[in-house]
Amino acid sequence: MASKPSIPKGTRDFSPTEVAKRHYIIQIIKSNFEKFGFQPIETPSFENSETLMGKYGEEGDRLIFKILNSGDYLAKANATHLENKDSTKLTSSISEKALRYDLTVPFARYVVQHQNDIEFPFKRYQIQPVWRADRPQKGRFREFFQCDADVVGSKSLWQEVELVQLYDTVFSALGLEGVTIKINNRKILSGIAEVIGASDKLIDFTVALDKLDKIGEDGVKKEMMEKGISEEAILKVQPLFNFTGTISEKINQLSVLLAESNEGMKGVEELRFICDNVTELGLSTAILDLDVTLARGLNYYTGAIFEVAPPKSVSMGSIGGGGRYDDLTGIFGLKNMSGVGISFGLDRIYLVVEELNLFPETVTATSKALFINYGDTEAFYAMKAIKELRNLGVKVELYPDNAKVAKQFQHADKREIPFVVIAGEQEIAANSFSLKNLVSGEQVSVDFEGLKNALL
């Protein structure tokens, strides 16, 4: 007996309705990317392993899906590693390619590979799936789409200002009011570590600080001490545990705290420029907030760091994020190519929009009308009208079989098609159509012009 078919954990099938809703979100993101001057590119689903490995830290490397070499992949395997069952060292000899983990590193590879054909600053957007061998949970999948917008070849902080506006514009268009765009700066985190004399423990410090909401002040302090950060050093950053006020007030607090750190003060001034200009220009529905605990992507972010939280009424992780990287292309040999970018988490955004019931009723994958099939003569008459309607952009279809009329009506009802068009002998004789609204039950006789107006 054949086993029941299934799909891998962390992946999903999408119904016609779900696909239509996803396309609705993608279209809003895409149209605003282009409105802000970003151009589309696409890169392969898989890259050479050497392109990806070592770019995301040790944990990221573990989450990269490796692709076994074609044919007898053990033929070139290192015998010693194979005998010792050392999978870490064995991988490089049996797998030369891997599914992309994100869109940023492939973009960096693209820029370096095509640098002679690109006009800088280069503003690109990319909407494609990525894969991560992560533990599946709500809002976290092993296959998911990323929607990225990046600018490379410019150090101007006006790019950060524009990216905050881009977030606000997209989420406002989706009806997601009250999202919080959190901002921080890697230089500030480095400055704090410098001030407390723990520059060598920057990662430990920021990872602990990032847990403030989850484990509280005492928990963070305990973790910092366990990582070798002194009690005296922790005392110096006491203000961070009660970091409140307006953005301007928070920046002033940081100015005092980081007065002795050149790196930290650079971060303060960069934040001040971005936040002051965003405040002056104004946001439609989003909220900009300075969050000193924000420390995502420390392996390659060098300046501003962004993370977007959904409206407070929704329990969900971040729905977007990004930041400034001064030398990401350096890993591929192109030095001093500064860039900044943001990403929209399509799958989580979908869940939030669904939960808040924000999808318009017009977002559907179904046809506007179904023509009833009474036989070949009637079907031909119907098809002439169908062809004209489709040329006008109306989604209509003919029921393919000359089945019982009740069955055809039932089909339209199950498909949630709002109108049925009846074109029988009487209608053909009168050169007309009977149009029935399946929602209201109303039925009217119309000529083609009337049919067109009703369905457009």
Side-chain angles (χ1 to χ4, degrees):
M1 182 176 170
S3 60
K4 186 178 179 182
S6 63
I7 58 175
K9 287 182 179 178
T11 63
R12 295 151 297 163
D13 289 323
F14 297 106
S15 69
T17 300
E18 289 169 329
V19 170
K21 289 178 176 179
R22 286 166 66 85
H23 283 180
Y24 165 75
I25 296 172
I26 288 172
Q27 190 53 45
I28 285 179
I29 294 173
K30 179 182 174 182
S31 64
N32 281 290
F33 279 168
E34 293 178 355
K35 197 186 298 180
F36 276 69
F38 292 89
Q39 297 175 289
I41 69 163
E42 291 187 358
T43 59
S45 299
F46 54 93
E47 297 269 354
N48 292 324
S49 296
E50 61 189 26
T51 299
L52 304 178
M53 299 300 288
K55 310 302 189 299
Y56 307 101
E58 191 177 329
E59 183 183 355
D61 281 355
R62 286 199 302 269
L63 299 181
I64 291 173
F65 276 107
K66 287 82 176 178
I67 301 172
L68 289 174
N69 294 338
S70 301
D72 184 4
Y73 57 86
L74 287 178
K76 295 180 180 179
N78 183 290
T80 304
H81 297 158
L82 186 59
E83 187 178 343
N84 293 337
K85 297 182 180 179
D86 189 339
S87 60
T88 304
K89 292 180 180 177
L90 184 65
T91 300
S92 61
S93 63
I94 64 173
S95 171
E96 297 171 355
K97 300 175 185 66
L99 292 177
R100 61 172 172 242
Y101 176 87
D102 71 354
L103 299 178
T104 306
V105 170
F107 172 52
R109 189 266 310 152
Y110 176 94
V111 170
V112 175
Q113 195 171 338
H114 300 277
Q115 58 186 289
N116 296 327
D117 306 316
I118 292 172
E119 171 62 27
F120 295 102
F122 180 42
K123 301 176 75 171
R124 88 77 166 91
Y125 77 83
Q126 203 169 342
I127 302 175
Q128 288 186 277
V130 299
W131 294 267
R132 296 182 185 178
D134 217 341
R135 185 172 64 85
Q137 54 185 285
K138 183 184 178 185
R140 179 176 292 175
F141 308 100
R142 288 176 171 170
E143 178 185 61
F144 57 98
F145 266 74
Q146 281 191 340
C147 310
D148 285 11
D150 289 76
V151 189
V152 289
S154 170
K155 293 184 178 181
S156 171
L157 294 175
W158 284 111
Q159 305 291 357
E160 278 86 339
V161 173
E162 280 218 310
L163 290 174
V164 172
Q165 290 182 314
L166 176 55
Y167 266 140
D168 176 52
T169 303
V170 168
F171 289 121
S172 296
L174 287 169
L176 273 178
E177 299 184 3
V179 304
T180 301
I181 304 168
K182 300 177 184 179
I183 186 171
N184 196 16
N185 194 297
R186 166 65 190 265
K187 296 182 180 73
I188 282 174
L189 294 168
S190 298
I192 293 170
E194 182 186 338
V195 165
I196 65 174
S199 293
D200 60 328
K201 297 187 181 296
L202 173 61
I203 303 295
D204 291 333
F205 172 79
T206 51
V207 166
L209 188 62
D210 193 38
K211 298 177 182 176
L212 186 59
D213 286 346
K214 297 173 185 173
I215 62 177
E217 181 178 337
D218 292 338
V220 170
K221 287 180 177 178
K222 181 183 176 185
E223 185 168 324
M224 285 182 177
M225 290 176 72
E226 288 172 352
K227 295 293 184 180
I229 299 171
S230 69
E231 204 168 332
E232 182 186 357
I234 294 170
L235 192 61
K236 288 182 180 178
V237 293
Q238 182 62 39
L240 296 181
F241 297 112
N242 303 290
F243 202 63
T244 56
T246 64
I247 288 182
S248 182
E249 289 169 345
K250 288 179 179 179
I251 291 175
N252 289 337
Q253 289 177 55
L254 285 175
S255 296
V256 175
L257 181 66
L258 299 173
E260 297 177 12
S261 169
N262 289 333
E263 181 79 353
M265 289 307 293
K266 283 181 188 175
V268 169
E269 292 312 310
E270 288 180 10
L271 269 183
R272 195 188 303 277
F273 180 91
I274 298 165
C275 295
D276 283 356
N277 281 292
V278 168
T279 301
E280 284 295 316
L281 290 165
L283 296 174
S284 297
T285 63
I287 301 158
L288 183 66
D289 186 35
L290 171 53
D291 183 354
V292 289
T293 69
L294 186 58
R296 59 183 288 138
L298 277 179
N299 284 329
Y300 53 74
Y301 289 137
T302 55
I305 307 169
F306 299 107
E307 189 167 278
V308 183
K312 289 183 172 60
S313 60
V314 179
S315 178
M316 179 69 69
S318 64
I319 55 176
R324 164 74 65 173
Y325 41 88
D326 279 341
D327 197 24
L328 187 64
T329 55
I331 57 180
F332 299 117
L334 182 60
K335 299 292 184 182
N336 303 315
M337 183 62 73
S338 185
V340 60
I342 58 173
S343 181
F344 290 81
L346 172 65
D347 297 288
R348 287 187 177 182
I349 291 170
Y350 179 104
L351 293 173
V352 173
V353 174
E354 182 91 310
E355 185 172 330
L356 295 176
N357 197 29
L358 295 174
F359 283 111
E361 290 183 10
T362 52
V363 177
T364 175
T366 196
S367 296
K368 192 72 177 285
L370 176 74
F371 281 71
I372 300 298
N373 189 334
Y374 288 96
D376 289 344
T377 301
E378 293 86 347
F380 182 77
Y381 176 78
M383 283 299 293
K384 288 191 289 184
I386 287 171
K387 182 180 178 182
E388 290 295 321
L389 290 167
R390 285 174 178 166
N391 287 339
L392 294 168
V394 184
K395 292 190 285 186
V396 288
E397 60 184 281
L398 172 73
Y399 192 85
D401 303 310
N402 181 11
K404 291 182 178 178
V405 173
K407 182 180 180 180
Q408 297 185 51
F409 267 83
Q410 191 177 51
H411 178 76
D413 192 47
K414 287 182 177 178
R415 289 267 313 279
E416 296 185 344
I417 297 174
F419 292 98
V420 158
V421 180
I422 299 165
E425 290 181 3
Q426 289 183 340
E427 284 78 14
I428 293 173
N431 198 27
S432 67
F433 303 89
S434 292
L435 179 67
K436 182 159 188 173
N437 185 321
L438 294 184
V439 178
S440 66
E442 180 186 7
Q443 182 170 318
V444 293
S445 179
V446 292
D447 58 12
F448 179 78
E449 195 67 21
L451 181 66
K452 180 184 76 174
N453 293 335
L455 298 178
L456 272 174

